[in-house]
Amino acid sequence: MSSEGFLKEMQTIGEKFLLKLQKLPKADPVEIVSFCVVLLFIATVLLLMIIACSCCCYSCCSCDGRPDHRRRKIQVRPIAH
């Protein structure tokens, strides 16, 4: 997908989202609750992705940017008889 197509798609999604928000005060309670559940799900997924990425970056590169060699996995070899 080209960047122009992606931007147009994002603009369309944003317009639909704003239209949904404008109609929300007039909506029935079930629709309001379902909309809130979807928003909560999206926020949870984004938060978990941020936490996962930050933990991964922290374990690979310590705070000063150098790799932490103490966390390297040690390969166990069988004892030869």
Side-chain angles (χ1 to χ4, degrees), residues 2-76:
S2 68
S3 62
E4 293 175 7
F6 178 74
L7 290 175
K8 187 169 181 167
E9 187 70 28
M10 291 303 294
Q11 183 180 5
T12 304
I13 291 172
E15 289 172 356
K16 287 179 182 179
F17 182 72
L18 287 176
L19 184 65
K20 190 66 139 173
L21 282 177
Q22 290 172 350
K23 291 181 179 180
L24 203 57
K26 300 173 189 170
D28 51 335
V30 174
E31 191 173 356
I32 293 172
V33 169
S34 64
F35 187 72
C36 290
V37 167
V38 169
L39 284 181
L40 182 66
F41 175 75
I42 291 171
T44 304
V45 168
L46 289 176
L47 179 67
L48 289 175
M49 284 177 54
I50 291 170
I51 291 171
C53 289
S54 65
C55 289
C56 181
C57 286
Y58 184 76
S59 68
C60 292
C61 307
S62 58
C63 294
D64 57 0
R66 291 180 295 167
D68 188 6
H69 296 292
R70 291 176 291 164
R71 294 185 147 246
R72 252 189 317 187
K73 292 183 180 179
I74 299 172
Q75 193 173 21
V76 179

